[in-house]
Short mmCIF file of all heavy atoms in Angstrom, two decimals:
data_model
loop_
_atom_site.label_atom_id
_atom_site.label_comp_id
_atom_site.label_asym_id
_atom_site.label_seq_id
_atom_site.Cartn_x
_atom_site.Cartn_y
_atom_site.Cartn_z
N ASP A 1 -3.02 3.54 -8.46
CA ASP A 1 -1.73 3.20 -9.10
C ASP A 1 -1.55 1.67 -9.00
O ASP A 1 -1.12 1.18 -7.95
CB ASP A 1 -0.59 3.92 -8.37
CG ASP A 1 0.78 3.70 -9.01
OD1 ASP A 1 0.81 2.92 -9.99
OD2 ASP A 1 1.73 4.30 -8.58
N LEU A 2 -1.78 1.01 -10.09
CA LEU A 2 -1.65 -0.46 -10.09
C LEU A 2 -0.26 -0.87 -10.09
O LEU A 2 0.03 -2.11 -9.85
CB LEU A 2 -2.45 -1.01 -11.29
CG LEU A 2 -3.96 -0.84 -11.31
CD1 LEU A 2 -4.57 -1.44 -12.52
CD2 LEU A 2 -4.59 -1.45 -10.06
N GLY A 3 0.69 0.01 -10.37
CA GLY A 3 2.08 -0.39 -10.37
C GLY A 3 2.62 -0.65 -8.99
O GLY A 3 3.75 -1.18 -8.87
N GLU A 4 1.86 -0.31 -7.93
CA GLU A 4 2.31 -0.52 -6.57
C GLU A 4 1.91 -1.87 -6.01
O GLU A 4 2.30 -2.23 -4.88
CB GLU A 4 1.79 0.58 -5.68
CG GLU A 4 2.20 1.96 -6.06
CD GLU A 4 1.70 3.00 -5.10
OE1 GLU A 4 0.54 2.80 -4.57
OE2 GLU A 4 2.36 4.04 -4.92
N LEU A 5 1.10 -2.61 -6.69
CA LEU A 5 0.53 -3.87 -6.11
C LEU A 5 1.60 -4.96 -5.91
O LEU A 5 2.49 -5.13 -6.77
CB LEU A 5 -0.57 -4.44 -7.04
CG LEU A 5 -2.01 -3.97 -6.71
CD1 LEU A 5 -2.15 -2.50 -6.96
CD2 LEU A 5 -3.01 -4.74 -7.56
N ARG A 6 1.48 -5.65 -4.78
CA ARG A 6 2.39 -6.74 -4.53
C ARG A 6 2.02 -7.97 -5.35
O ARG A 6 2.89 -8.69 -5.85
CB ARG A 6 2.35 -7.10 -3.04
CG ARG A 6 3.25 -8.29 -2.66
CD ARG A 6 3.21 -8.62 -1.23
NE ARG A 6 3.62 -7.52 -0.39
CZ ARG A 6 3.76 -7.55 0.93
NH1 ARG A 6 3.38 -8.64 1.59
NH2 ARG A 6 4.17 -6.52 1.62
N LEU A 7 0.70 -8.20 -5.53
CA LEU A 7 0.19 -9.39 -6.23
C LEU A 7 -0.42 -9.04 -7.52
O LEU A 7 -0.94 -7.87 -7.69
CB LEU A 7 -0.84 -10.13 -5.34
CG LEU A 7 -0.35 -10.62 -3.96
CD1 LEU A 7 -1.54 -11.23 -3.22
CD2 LEU A 7 0.74 -11.69 -4.12
N PRO A 8 -0.51 -9.92 -8.50
CA PRO A 8 -1.23 -9.62 -9.75
C PRO A 8 -2.70 -9.40 -9.44
O PRO A 8 -3.28 -9.90 -8.45
CB PRO A 8 -1.06 -10.90 -10.54
CG PRO A 8 0.19 -11.55 -9.98
CD PRO A 8 0.16 -11.21 -8.53
N LEU A 9 -3.41 -8.64 -10.29
CA LEU A 9 -4.84 -8.39 -10.08
C LEU A 9 -5.65 -9.62 -9.88
O LEU A 9 -6.55 -9.69 -9.08
CB LEU A 9 -5.36 -7.59 -11.29
CG LEU A 9 -4.93 -6.13 -11.42
CD1 LEU A 9 -5.51 -5.54 -12.70
CD2 LEU A 9 -5.36 -5.32 -10.15
N GLU A 10 -5.33 -10.67 -10.62
CA GLU A 10 -6.10 -11.87 -10.60
C GLU A 10 -6.00 -12.63 -9.29
O GLU A 10 -6.82 -13.51 -8.99
CB GLU A 10 -5.64 -12.86 -11.69
CG GLU A 10 -5.94 -12.36 -13.11
CD GLU A 10 -5.04 -11.22 -13.59
OE1 GLU A 10 -3.98 -11.04 -13.01
OE2 GLU A 10 -5.42 -10.49 -14.53
N GLU A 11 -5.04 -12.24 -8.41
CA GLU A 11 -4.89 -12.89 -7.12
C GLU A 11 -5.73 -12.26 -6.04
O GLU A 11 -5.62 -12.62 -4.87
CB GLU A 11 -3.38 -12.92 -6.75
CG GLU A 11 -2.53 -13.67 -7.65
CD GLU A 11 -2.97 -15.14 -7.80
OE1 GLU A 11 -3.28 -15.72 -6.76
OE2 GLU A 11 -3.04 -15.62 -8.96
N HIS A 12 -6.59 -11.30 -6.41
CA HIS A 12 -7.48 -10.68 -5.43
C HIS A 12 -8.89 -11.18 -5.67
O HIS A 12 -9.58 -10.76 -6.61
CB HIS A 12 -7.46 -9.14 -5.60
CG HIS A 12 -6.11 -8.53 -5.37
ND1 HIS A 12 -5.12 -8.46 -6.36
CD2 HIS A 12 -5.57 -7.97 -4.26
CE1 HIS A 12 -4.02 -7.91 -5.84
NE2 HIS A 12 -4.26 -7.59 -4.59
N PRO A 13 -9.34 -12.17 -4.92
CA PRO A 13 -10.58 -12.91 -5.21
C PRO A 13 -11.87 -12.12 -5.05
O PRO A 13 -12.93 -12.50 -5.62
CB PRO A 13 -10.55 -14.06 -4.20
CG PRO A 13 -9.69 -13.55 -3.09
CD PRO A 13 -8.71 -12.71 -3.74
N SER A 14 -11.86 -11.04 -4.38
CA SER A 14 -13.10 -10.19 -4.17
C SER A 14 -12.71 -8.70 -4.20
O SER A 14 -11.52 -8.29 -4.12
CB SER A 14 -13.70 -10.51 -2.81
OG SER A 14 -12.87 -10.10 -1.76
N PHE A 15 -13.71 -7.87 -4.34
CA PHE A 15 -13.43 -6.47 -4.38
C PHE A 15 -12.89 -6.03 -2.99
O PHE A 15 -12.03 -5.14 -2.93
CB PHE A 15 -14.74 -5.67 -4.66
CG PHE A 15 -14.49 -4.21 -4.91
CD1 PHE A 15 -14.01 -3.86 -6.16
CD2 PHE A 15 -14.68 -3.23 -3.95
CE1 PHE A 15 -13.76 -2.50 -6.41
CE2 PHE A 15 -14.41 -1.93 -4.14
CZ PHE A 15 -13.91 -1.54 -5.43
N THR A 16 -13.33 -6.65 -1.92
CA THR A 16 -12.75 -6.31 -0.55
C THR A 16 -11.26 -6.62 -0.57
O THR A 16 -10.41 -5.84 -0.09
CB THR A 16 -13.39 -7.12 0.52
OG1 THR A 16 -14.80 -6.72 0.59
CG2 THR A 16 -12.78 -6.89 1.88
N ALA A 17 -10.84 -7.74 -1.09
CA ALA A 17 -9.46 -8.16 -1.16
C ALA A 17 -8.65 -7.15 -2.02
O ALA A 17 -7.54 -6.78 -1.64
CB ALA A 17 -9.27 -9.54 -1.75
N PHE A 18 -9.24 -6.68 -3.08
CA PHE A 18 -8.54 -5.69 -3.90
C PHE A 18 -8.44 -4.36 -3.14
O PHE A 18 -7.44 -3.65 -3.15
CB PHE A 18 -9.30 -5.46 -5.22
CG PHE A 18 -8.71 -4.34 -6.06
CD1 PHE A 18 -7.47 -4.45 -6.68
CD2 PHE A 18 -9.43 -3.14 -6.21
CE1 PHE A 18 -6.94 -3.44 -7.40
CE2 PHE A 18 -8.92 -2.14 -6.96
CZ PHE A 18 -7.69 -2.21 -7.56
N PHE A 19 -9.50 -4.05 -2.41
CA PHE A 19 -9.54 -2.73 -1.76
C PHE A 19 -8.48 -2.67 -0.65
O PHE A 19 -7.91 -1.61 -0.35
CB PHE A 19 -10.96 -2.48 -1.11
CG PHE A 19 -11.22 -1.06 -0.93
CD1 PHE A 19 -11.67 -0.24 -1.98
CD2 PHE A 19 -11.06 -0.50 0.31
CE1 PHE A 19 -11.93 1.08 -1.78
CE2 PHE A 19 -11.32 0.90 0.48
CZ PHE A 19 -11.77 1.66 -0.57
N VAL A 20 -8.21 -3.78 0.03
CA VAL A 20 -7.16 -3.79 1.11
C VAL A 20 -5.87 -4.45 0.55
O VAL A 20 -5.10 -5.05 1.33
CB VAL A 20 -7.68 -4.52 2.37
CG1 VAL A 20 -8.86 -3.76 2.94
CG2 VAL A 20 -8.05 -5.95 2.08
N ARG A 21 -5.67 -4.32 -0.74
CA ARG A 21 -4.49 -4.81 -1.43
C ARG A 21 -3.19 -4.47 -0.64
O ARG A 21 -3.09 -3.34 -0.12
CB ARG A 21 -4.42 -4.31 -2.81
CG ARG A 21 -4.37 -2.80 -2.84
CD ARG A 21 -4.71 -2.24 -4.23
NE ARG A 21 -4.77 -0.81 -4.30
CZ ARG A 21 -5.92 -0.09 -3.96
NH1 ARG A 21 -6.99 -0.74 -3.63
NH2 ARG A 21 -5.86 1.19 -3.99
N ARG A 22 -2.24 -5.33 -0.71
CA ARG A 22 -0.94 -5.02 -0.13
C ARG A 22 -0.03 -4.40 -1.20
O ARG A 22 -0.13 -4.70 -2.42
CB ARG A 22 -0.28 -6.24 0.47
CG ARG A 22 -1.04 -6.79 1.67
CD ARG A 22 -0.25 -7.90 2.34
NE ARG A 22 -0.97 -8.43 3.50
CZ ARG A 22 -0.88 -7.90 4.73
NH1 ARG A 22 -0.11 -6.80 4.94
NH2 ARG A 22 -1.52 -8.38 5.78
N LEU A 23 0.89 -3.59 -0.72
CA LEU A 23 1.81 -2.87 -1.69
C LEU A 23 3.11 -3.71 -1.84
O LEU A 23 3.49 -4.48 -0.98
CB LEU A 23 2.15 -1.50 -1.09
CG LEU A 23 0.97 -0.56 -0.93
CD1 LEU A 23 1.52 0.80 -0.44
CD2 LEU A 23 0.18 -0.36 -2.20
N ALA A 24 3.73 -3.54 -2.96
CA ALA A 24 5.02 -4.14 -3.26
C ALA A 24 6.09 -3.60 -2.25
O ALA A 24 5.94 -2.47 -1.76
CB ALA A 24 5.49 -3.83 -4.66
N ASP A 25 7.05 -4.41 -1.93
CA ASP A 25 8.13 -3.97 -1.05
C ASP A 25 8.77 -2.70 -1.62
O ASP A 25 9.10 -2.63 -2.81
CB ASP A 25 9.11 -5.10 -0.89
CG ASP A 25 8.62 -6.30 -0.16
OD1 ASP A 25 7.57 -6.15 0.53
OD2 ASP A 25 9.19 -7.40 -0.28
N GLY A 26 8.99 -1.74 -0.76
CA GLY A 26 9.60 -0.49 -1.15
C GLY A 26 8.72 0.53 -1.72
O GLY A 26 9.17 1.66 -2.06
N ALA A 27 7.39 0.23 -1.84
CA ALA A 27 6.49 1.21 -2.37
C ALA A 27 6.26 2.39 -1.43
O ALA A 27 5.95 3.53 -1.88
CB ALA A 27 5.12 0.56 -2.66
N ARG A 28 6.46 2.16 -0.18
CA ARG A 28 6.44 3.27 0.85
C ARG A 28 7.63 3.17 1.74
O ARG A 28 8.08 2.09 2.03
CB ARG A 28 5.18 3.20 1.66
CG ARG A 28 3.89 3.31 0.97
CD ARG A 28 3.59 4.73 0.44
NE ARG A 28 2.30 4.77 -0.18
CZ ARG A 28 2.04 4.44 -1.46
NH1 ARG A 28 3.03 3.94 -2.17
NH2 ARG A 28 0.82 4.54 -1.97
N ARG A 29 8.21 4.33 2.15
CA ARG A 29 9.41 4.30 2.97
C ARG A 29 9.18 5.26 4.21
O ARG A 29 8.64 6.29 4.07
CB ARG A 29 10.61 4.78 2.25
CG ARG A 29 11.01 3.84 1.04
CD ARG A 29 12.35 4.23 0.42
NE ARG A 29 12.70 3.37 -0.69
CZ ARG A 29 13.28 2.18 -0.56
NH1 ARG A 29 13.50 1.75 0.67
NH2 ARG A 29 13.52 1.41 -1.64
N PHE A 30 9.60 4.75 5.35
CA PHE A 30 9.48 5.48 6.58
C PHE A 30 10.86 6.11 6.91
O PHE A 30 11.87 5.50 6.62
CB PHE A 30 9.00 4.63 7.72
CG PHE A 30 7.56 4.27 7.71
CD1 PHE A 30 7.04 3.36 6.79
CD2 PHE A 30 6.67 4.96 8.57
CE1 PHE A 30 5.69 3.06 6.81
CE2 PHE A 30 5.35 4.67 8.50
CZ PHE A 30 4.83 3.72 7.69
N PRO A 31 10.85 7.30 7.49
CA PRO A 31 12.16 7.91 7.89
C PRO A 31 12.80 7.08 8.95
O PRO A 31 12.14 6.47 9.81
CB PRO A 31 11.72 9.28 8.38
CG PRO A 31 10.30 9.11 8.82
CD PRO A 31 9.71 8.10 7.91
N SER A 32 14.13 7.11 8.99
CA SER A 32 14.85 6.38 10.02
C SER A 32 15.03 7.15 11.34
O SER A 32 15.24 6.57 12.38
CB SER A 32 16.27 5.99 9.45
OG SER A 32 16.99 7.09 9.07
N GLU A 33 14.95 8.51 11.29
CA GLU A 33 15.12 9.30 12.45
C GLU A 33 13.98 9.14 13.39
O GLU A 33 12.81 9.44 13.07
CB GLU A 33 15.29 10.79 12.07
CG GLU A 33 16.47 11.06 11.21
CD GLU A 33 16.19 10.90 9.70
OE1 GLU A 33 15.18 10.26 9.39
OE2 GLU A 33 16.97 11.43 8.92
N ALA A 34 14.24 8.75 14.61
CA ALA A 34 13.20 8.48 15.59
C ALA A 34 12.36 9.70 15.98
O ALA A 34 11.24 9.62 16.40
CB ALA A 34 13.82 7.84 16.85
N ALA A 35 13.00 10.89 15.81
CA ALA A 35 12.33 12.13 16.24
C ALA A 35 11.26 12.57 15.24
O ALA A 35 10.53 13.51 15.51
CB ALA A 35 13.36 13.24 16.46
N LEU A 36 11.20 11.96 14.03
CA LEU A 36 10.28 12.37 13.03
C LEU A 36 8.99 11.54 13.10
O LEU A 36 9.04 10.36 13.38
CB LEU A 36 10.92 12.24 11.65
CG LEU A 36 12.15 13.12 11.36
CD1 LEU A 36 12.64 12.83 9.95
CD2 LEU A 36 11.86 14.58 11.57
N LEU A 37 7.85 12.17 12.89
CA LEU A 37 6.58 11.53 12.88
C LEU A 37 6.05 11.41 11.46
O LEU A 37 5.68 12.39 10.81
CB LEU A 37 5.55 12.31 13.72
CG LEU A 37 4.14 11.74 13.74
CD1 LEU A 37 4.09 10.41 14.50
CD2 LEU A 37 3.11 12.70 14.37
N PRO A 38 6.03 10.22 10.90
CA PRO A 38 5.46 9.98 9.56
C PRO A 38 3.98 9.76 9.56
O PRO A 38 3.39 9.34 10.59
CB PRO A 38 6.24 8.78 9.05
CG PRO A 38 6.43 7.98 10.33
CD PRO A 38 6.64 8.95 11.43
N SER A 39 3.35 9.96 8.40
CA SER A 39 1.93 9.67 8.27
C SER A 39 1.73 8.18 8.33
O SER A 39 2.43 7.41 7.74
CB SER A 39 1.39 10.22 6.96
OG SER A 39 0.07 9.80 6.75
N PRO A 40 0.65 7.72 9.09
CA PRO A 40 0.37 6.28 9.21
C PRO A 40 -0.34 5.77 7.96
O PRO A 40 -0.57 4.55 7.85
CB PRO A 40 -0.48 6.19 10.42
CG PRO A 40 -1.17 7.52 10.46
CD PRO A 40 -0.23 8.54 9.92
N CYS A 41 -0.75 6.62 7.03
CA CYS A 41 -1.58 6.16 5.89
C CYS A 41 -1.46 7.09 4.71
O CYS A 41 -0.92 8.22 4.83
CB CYS A 41 -3.04 6.09 6.34
SG CYS A 41 -3.71 7.67 6.86
N ASP A 42 -1.93 6.63 3.62
CA ASP A 42 -2.13 7.49 2.41
C ASP A 42 -3.39 8.34 2.59
O ASP A 42 -4.26 7.98 3.39
CB ASP A 42 -2.33 6.63 1.14
CG ASP A 42 -1.06 6.03 0.66
OD1 ASP A 42 0.03 6.17 1.28
OD2 ASP A 42 -1.09 5.30 -0.38
N GLY A 43 -3.50 9.45 1.93
CA GLY A 43 -4.74 10.22 1.98
C GLY A 43 -4.48 11.66 1.65
O GLY A 43 -3.45 12.08 1.11
N THR A 44 -5.51 12.45 2.05
CA THR A 44 -5.44 13.92 1.80
C THR A 44 -5.55 14.57 3.18
O THR A 44 -6.41 14.27 3.95
CB THR A 44 -6.59 14.39 0.92
OG1 THR A 44 -6.55 13.70 -0.32
CG2 THR A 44 -6.59 15.91 0.68
N LEU A 45 -4.66 15.57 3.42
CA LEU A 45 -4.66 16.26 4.70
C LEU A 45 -5.85 17.21 4.80
O LEU A 45 -5.94 18.15 4.02
CB LEU A 45 -3.33 17.06 4.84
CG LEU A 45 -3.19 17.75 6.18
CD1 LEU A 45 -2.94 16.70 7.32
CD2 LEU A 45 -2.00 18.71 6.16
#
């Protein structure tokens, strides 16, 4: 999903940089309740 990128594609100088791309602010949200355990990453369970 390229719509989540923080930086334009051209600002990733290598494939490694693109692979560890940062997300735009607000693309992921964590719950505020301390008793809940959120996933630390994207992926498939």
Side-chain angles (χ1 to χ4, degrees):
D1 184 355
L2 294 180
E4 297 181 331
L5 270 65
R6 178 181 298 182
L7 300 175
L9 287 177
E10 292 73 19
E11 297 304 316
H12 299 84
S14 66
F15 192 78
T16 296
F18 174 71
F19 205 82
V20 297
R21 59 197 175 272
R22 293 187 180 276
L23 300 182
D25 293 342
R28 300 287 184 277
R29 296 187 181 277
F30 283 77
S32 58
E33 298 88 341
L36 298 179
L37 177 69
S39 173
C41 60
D42 285 3
T44 301
L45 185 68

